[in-house]
Structures are given as structure tokens and as C-alpha cells.
Amino acid sequence: MQKSWDPMPITFEVLEKDIAGRVGRLKAGSRTVRTPLLLPVINPHLQPVSPAEMKAMGAEGIITNAYIFSRSSEFRDQALSRGLHDLLGFDGLVMTDSGSFQLSVYGDVAITNRETLEFQQAIGSDIQVPLDIPTPPDADRARTEKELAVTLARLREAREILGPDAPLAGPVQGGIFEDLREKAGRDVGEIGFSFCPIGAVVPLMESYRYRDLVRVVMAAKRGIPPSACVHLFGAGHPAMFALAVAMGCDVFDSAAYALYAKDRRYLTTSGSYRLDELAELPCACRVCREYTAQELRESEDSVRLLSLHNLAVSFAEMSTIRQAITDGVLWELVDDRCRSHPQLLRGYRELLNFSGQLASGDRVSKRRFFYRGTETCSRTEVITYQEALSRLPLGESVLIAMDGAFQDGYDTVLLFKPPFGPYHPALHETFPIGQSEIPDWDAPMVSRGCDGIRILIAANPGARFTVVSRPEWYDLVSRELPGIEVSHGNV
Ligand code: GUN
Ligand code: ZN
């Protein structure tokens, strides 16, 4: 097969960070797109919204299935002669999937790894996907290992067939086994992939298993090089984008906008509604301003109109997320989004269990830190702050004045701000002490702050500590700090 261009490697540049989320610039071939990015799925046989219309709505890229084109008498020759961009009428980034999804649904596909790769290249796809094997979450370890080995062999073969600079995606599989996911991520990086989709997570999302999703993605991320662009295959519900971005996912592809529309469902960032249950259309998009809920319900065009709304909501959420990263308020957004469904809340709480893993990559300073309840106590900023406490230089006698009242007679006097803990008065305008807003103290935040005191005490075995509590917190603080001199304060 004649190559009509020199392949250019996929490159990814991180511009802004928050938690493990990034605002970035992804280059594939001659196309440059901003991430986090949503690639709407285009089905050439059944497309309620054209790629050109999507472009006008702000879509910088789309994804379609090369397998469908290769099997279609209608589209195959046209795709080969005109190229995908011309055929679809879309001059942004076009990624193609290989047929692996059909493999996972039907158990078999009539195409080889080499055939799909050569076809994807021939139709001018900007990002090409080898024939990986999406191992379902209920597969046992032996099957998962075996299929992962096949996937990795196909990724190596893909590099050999298309060359080291070909714009290839390297899917990370490994089922629900965290060690396999981590190893797969590392191997895919070592084979030379800078664009790494995390695969076979659709069944987890379809059954709302967000806690397992978090474990699998965090495991894969431990292995994938931090410089690689990470795509979460098949993630399309806007309520979970923020959570996934916080874990370090940069690209999403969604058929949800069309699938939900076909099912007469209306997407929002806090879940989906049946159109037939809506009395109002609570959205600012063009469809929702032009139509009443009743008109939308009764329209012959309701699937297409719902698709347009669902897309608008999804694109707007990507903008919201990029802005949150730039402002350093992604945790607040994740907290917002994940309260809309108990399983999302479960996923969010699981993510907080990984705050240690996340803290080392998080940004140092943020615009603000808003306390929003118990979950906030486990955020990365708290972990990072308390780790630094063990390096705080102290005198021999230390007063921690929770009541804010300075007293003479101590070498060091520290104040206290929950959930962080003790702080030097000179630091009261620096992040996070100065930028954090907390309501009236509550027990979880005071306990968490006491963790900070214990870290300080453990790091300074030679110092003598006195803690002056606020009277109303005396019982809790003395329970949290056994063996430490705690007084009531203003008594
Ligand atoms: N689409 C959804 N999941 C997957 C996956 O694991 N692999 C590929 N190639 N496509 C997918
Ligand atoms: Zn709308």
C-alpha cells in the first residue's frame, strides 16, 4: 500500500493541571485539539446530527468505527477514494476505532489486526486503533491475562506494520485486575504509545460501578506515562466527566448523546430524565430555548432535537471542566457532580482514597479551597499540607492555640485551621490556609486537623506541646490527642 504522507507522531502537551486533570493540546497528524475533549461517536448508517453541525457546535474531533466502513458496500469504496474527512464532511480530528467493540459485543469480528490498521490508515484516520481485546469485568484472571497478552502482541505488531511515528492509540486492558491494568499501562508506554485509551470500562459504567471504574482507571494511570494522553473508551455521560478528568482522563467518546436520545432521554450534568417526565427544559441550549417540553415531546424530530441538546450539554461540560482546571477548582466541581447519584458518590469517595497517589502530581497552589463536608477532609490539599507539617521548624516548647489566643512563654506559637491543622501565623495568607473557606467547625474537620497535630508531634519528639482547644471542642480534641496537654481555652 502506498503511503501518501509521512506519518507524524501523536503529541500531547499539558498546559494546566488540577488534581490529575489536565488542560492540554493534543496533536495528531495536521490537527490540533484542546483537551479534555469529547469525541462524539458517528455512526454513518444512523446519524441524527451531521459531523458538520457538530463542528458548528464546537466539536473539535469525532470518532467513528472503521469496521462499519470496511464492511459497508455503501461506504467502503467511498471512504477509500475520498478519505474519511471528505466523506464525513468534517475537517477536524477524526479518530477511528478498530472493530474491537463489535468483538466485545458479538464475540468475533471478520477482520485481522493488520487489515483494520491498513484500512484505517488508507482512509486517512488521524488516530488509529489496533484490534485490542476488551476483556469484560467478569472474566477471571487466567482469561484476562491471556487476552491482555494478545492485545499487547497486537500493539507491537501495529508498531511494526505502521512504523514508530504512526498516529496509533495503545489501548490499556486488564479487566478488573489492578496489577494487570498497571502493568498494561506501563507496557503500552514502553512499546511507544503516547495516546492510551483505557478499554473495556463500558460494562462498569453501564452498571453504575463507579467505584470499580475508579480503581481500574487509577491502576492504569499508575502505569501509563504521565506525559501520555489518556482516553476513556466509551465514556459519554456528562455527569461523570469531571470525576474521570480528575483521575487524569483527557479524551472521551460518546454515543450516549444519540443512544439516550433514541431512548427519549434528556441528559444533564446531574443525571438523565425521561422526556415524557419533563415539564420544563432546564437548559440554555438553542433547542431548549426554542421548544417547550411539550413541543419537544410531540415533535417528529424529537430524537434529533434531543441529540442536539445532549451534545450541547456534553460540550458545555467539557468547557466547564477546562475552566475549573485552569482555576484550580476541579475538586469542587467533582464534588458537585458526584452528589447526583449514590454510585457516583461512591466513586468520588473511592477517588479520595487515592489522594496520596494524586497529591504528588497536584498543583501547589489554587485559587480557592471550599469546605463542602466530610469528603473535603480527604482532598489532596489536606494530604499535601499535612505532609509538609513534618518539616515545619519548631522550638522546644510549642503552643497550638486553637482558640486563636496568643500566650507568652512558648518558643513557637501556632494557630489551627481545620481540616488542615496547625499553621504558623506567618503563613496565614498562603495556600491553602489563606485561600480556604470553611463554615463553622464540625467534628470531621476538627478530627482531621488533629491528624496534623499528631504528625507534628511525631516529627518533633524533643519538643513539648500544649494545645488550647476551643471549649466546645475540648472533648473531641482530648480524645484525638491522648497523652497531650490539652486545655479548654478561655476558662
Ligand atoms: N470501545 C469501548 N471500549 C473499547 C475497548 O476496550 N477497545 C476498543 N478498541 N474500543 C472500545
Ligand atoms: Zn438543551
Side-chain angles (χ1 to χ4, degrees):
M1 189 169 305
Q2 185 73 35
K3 273 190 225 158
S4 56
W5 73 95
D6 279 335
M8 293 217 298
I10 298 174
T11 63
F12 182 57
E13 189 188 345
V14 174
L15 305 174
E16 307 269 5
K17 270 208 76 173
D18 193 10
I19 322 178
R22 299 85 78 91
V23 168
R25 194 182 285 136
L26 174 69
K27 289 190 185 170
S30 59
R31 329 271 165 182
T32 301
V33 292
R34 289 174 302 160
T35 67
L37 171 73
L38 175 67
L39 305 171
V41 173
I42 303 295
N43 180 341
H45 291 302
L46 180 116
Q47 195 50 46
V49 182
S50 76
E53 283 176 286
M54 287 183 187
K55 188 89 199 271
M57 294 175 75
E60 296 181 33
I62 55 178
I63 183 169
T64 190
N65 198 308
Y67 186 67
I68 297 178
F69 283 87
S70 75
R71 308 302 294 172
S72 154
S73 50
E74 186 185 352
F75 293 118
R76 182 186 166 88
D77 292 343
Q78 284 207 57
L80 285 168
S81 59
R82 294 168 60 186
L84 209 45
H85 294 81
D86 184 51
L87 179 60
L88 294 174
F90 187 82
D91 63 1
L93 182 142
V94 182
M95 178 172 173
T96 46
D97 201 354
S98 51
S100 294
F101 190 65
Q102 279 72 13
L103 182 69
S104 71
V105 175
Y106 305 112
D108 196 15
V109 278
I111 198 162
T112 66
N113 190 37
R114 175 182 286 274
E115 283 163 358
T116 181
L117 289 166
E118 288 180 343
F119 182 74
Q120 291 177 60
Q121 190 182 48
I123 61 179
S125 164
D126 294 310
I127 299 180
Q128 303 150 19
V129 182
L131 195 66
D132 59 313
I133 303 185
T135 305
D138 59 358
D140 67 13
R141 189 173 177 97
R143 174 179 165 196
T144 307
E145 282 180 342
K146 210 170 108 201
E147 293 182 352
L148 178 55
V150 174
T151 291
L152 290 169
R154 289 180 181 173
L155 300 197
R156 289 192 186 89
E157 183 186 48
R159 278 274 167 242
E160 279 159 24
I161 296 170
L162 298 186
D165 288 338
L168 279 165
V172 174
Q173 298 292 346
I176 50 153
F177 299 97
E178 291 169 63
D179 59 324
L180 297 183
R181 287 281 186 174
E182 180 174 345
K183 172 89 169 31
R186 192 167 301 117
D187 289 348
V188 167
E190 281 168 9
I191 299 169
F193 290 93
S194 57
F195 185 90
C196 304
I198 298 174
V201 289
V202 170
L204 295 178
M205 293 184 286
E206 280 176 351
S207 49
Y208 297 95
R209 288 169 63 181
Y210 290 110
R211 190 184 55 151
D212 292 331
L213 177 74
V214 166
R215 289 180 180 169
V216 158
V217 171
M218 290 305 292
K221 282 287 292 187
R222 283 195 291 279
I224 296 171
S227 57
C229 185
V230 174
H231 174 172
L232 192 63
F233 253 142
H237 199 298
M240 57 81 65
F241 290 158
L243 176 69
V245 168
M247 293 191 276
C249 298
D250 307 294
V251 176
F252 302 87
D253 65 280
S254 172
Y257 75 95
L259 297 174
Y260 278 75
K262 207 165 133 252
D263 214 16
R264 291 176 73 74
R265 285 201 288 172
Y266 180 95
L267 292 180
T268 78
T269 53
S270 59
S272 40
Y273 298 91
R274 315 204 142 276
L275 180 57
D276 301 326
E277 287 170 357
L278 282 177
E280 294 288 334
L281 302 178
C283 166
C285 88
R286 234 190 53 198
V287 170
C288 297
R289 294 307 94 217
E290 274 180 23
Y291 292 78
T292 65
Q294 187 180 352
E295 285 164 355
L296 185 56
R297 242 191 322 272
E298 291 168 359
S299 167
E300 285 179 8
D301 229 10
S302 64
V303 172
R304 177 182 142 75
L305 292 169
L306 265 177
S307 297
L308 285 168
H309 158 82
N310 288 345
L311 274 172
V313 168
S314 304
F315 290 139
E317 180 65 355
M318 286 295 150
S319 296
T320 302
I321 290 171
R322 288 193 296 260
Q323 184 68 44
I325 293 172
T326 303
D327 288 345
V329 297
L330 185 57
W331 270 127
E332 279 80 359
L333 184 65
V334 171
D335 189 271
D336 256 0
R337 296 305 187 241
C338 290
R339 287 180 192 280
S340 59
H341 193 287
Q343 293 299 338
L344 269 175
L345 181 57
R346 214 169 162 213
Y348 170 35
R349 288 181 173 161
E350 185 63 18
L351 183 65
L352 289 164
N353 289 334
F354 288 97
S355 273
Q357 180 182 331
L358 294 166
S360 56
D362 198 5
R363 64 198 261 175
V364 182
S365 176
K366 306 193 182 193
R367 176 172 290 185
R368 62 169 191 252
F369 176 106
F370 278 180
Y371 187 82
R372 297 166 149 249
T374 314
E375 282 77 16
T376 311
C377 296
S378 308
R379 277 172 50 168
T380 44
E381 299 92 336
V382 178
I383 307 263
T384 301
Y385 181 83
Q386 293 192 343
E387 270 170 12
L389 276 177
S390 60
R391 301 186 294 274
L392 190 69
L394 297 179
E396 271 173 33
S397 64
V398 181
L399 171 70
I400 299 174
M402 287 186 165
D403 61 348
F406 287 82
Q407 291 179 35
D408 290 336
Y410 295 90
D411 298 329
T412 306
V413 177
L414 301 176
L415 299 173
F416 182 83
K417 185 163 191 181
F420 301 104
Y423 69 95
H424 197 280
L427 293 183
H428 87 279
E429 284 186 1
T430 63
F431 188 83
I433 301 300
Q435 288 69 28
S436 48
E437 286 205 27
I438 59 175
D440 293 342
W441 293 10
D442 60 33
M445 74 162 93
V446 174
S447 293
R448 193 75 177 104
C450 288
D451 292 346
I453 297 178
R454 281 198 303 271
I455 288 170
L456 205 58
I457 292 172
N460 294 274
R464 204 176 68 82
F465 286 84
T466 306
V467 176
V468 178
S469 174
R470 288 186 183 180
E472 66 273 32
W473 293 105
Y474 174 78
D475 288 344
L476 176 70
V477 171
S478 21
R479 260 197 324 274
E480 288 283 343
L481 303 172
I484 304 300
E485 190 187 326
V486 180
S487 70
H488 274 93
N490 51 2
V491 277

